[in-house]
Amino acid sequence: EGQSSENQSVELAMQYLQDVEKELPEKDFADFLIIIEEFKSNRLSTQAVVQRVKKILTSQPPKLIKGFNMFLPAEHHIETQRFSVALDLVKKIRDRYETSDPADVLTTFVNVLGQFQRDDISLEQTRTKVKALFAQDSDLLQDFEEFLPGASDDNADPSDSHTSASPSKGAAKPTA
């Protein structure tokens, strides 16, 4: 039974890596593999891995973070805070359209966010739909862009960058 469980874990890890490889740009995937390799060789703590992987996955579909969490102890799970931040924006939208018909704009916005959360649409499709929705509201559009995943990447900690050579895509896959 232990062998079967271990085989299932390896299969889950391999499937997850395939999903990550499909979603991430090549450089980000190479960085992801480096992080996993450094962890496996005990050069990174679990906390350091979580911090670095979170930076890579923040602008990706939520399913990648959820998948990564399957391999982490509960106390190290990465929380997605996209919707808690969005609540402030929702309040601003509701306040803005209070005297008109807020249901249309607000309902459409919440539906678009829900589609993205369920991975029904990509980040770019989400951005396009919200741009159309807020075409006349540049401040709401700006607030939306600021809360999007990856919006603060310009402020990333330079000490987290890697200068080592990137492995090929087939190298160093975790075995859970």
Side-chain angles (χ1 to χ4, degrees), residues 19-120:
D19 292 344
V20 171
E21 184 176 21
K22 285 180 206 169
E23 295 288 342
L24 291 181
E26 192 170 336
K27 183 193 179 316
D28 287 347
F29 184 69
D31 289 345
F32 181 84
L33 291 177
I34 289 169
I35 292 166
I36 299 303
E37 192 174 285
E38 288 179 351
F39 177 72
K40 284 177 63 177
S41 63
N42 295 317
R43 292 190 306 247
L44 284 179
S45 68
T46 302
Q47 186 174 3
V49 169
V50 168
Q51 289 172 345
R52 291 179 182 183
V53 167
K54 184 177 179 179
K55 285 183 181 182
I56 291 172
L57 298 183
T58 297
S59 63
Q60 301 303 319
K63 69 180 178 183
L64 294 183
I65 289 176
K66 291 175 189 172
F68 190 71
N69 282 342
M70 290 188 326
F71 302 102
L72 294 172
E75 65 270 15
H76 290 287
H77 279 190
I78 299 171
E79 298 296 325
T80 55
Q81 297 185 15
R82 201 170 285 134
F83 282 92
S84 63
V85 175
L87 289 177
D88 290 338
L89 181 54
V90 167
K91 182 182 180 323
K92 192 171 183 179
I93 294 166
R94 188 181 60 230
D95 292 348
R96 169 81 45 89
Y97 291 99
E98 194 169 43
T99 57
S100 60
D101 185 9
D104 289 339
V105 174
L106 187 56
T107 300
T108 301
F109 179 70
V110 170
N111 287 339
V112 168
L113 291 181
Q115 289 174 329
F116 177 69
Q117 179 68 20
R118 291 184 309 271
D119 295 324
D120 293 341

Side-chain angles (χ1 to χ4, degrees), residues 7 30 40 74 125-126 144 153 169:
N7 288 341
K40 284 177 63 177
Q125 290 169 312
T126 303
F144 174 73
D153 284 351
K169 284 193 171 188

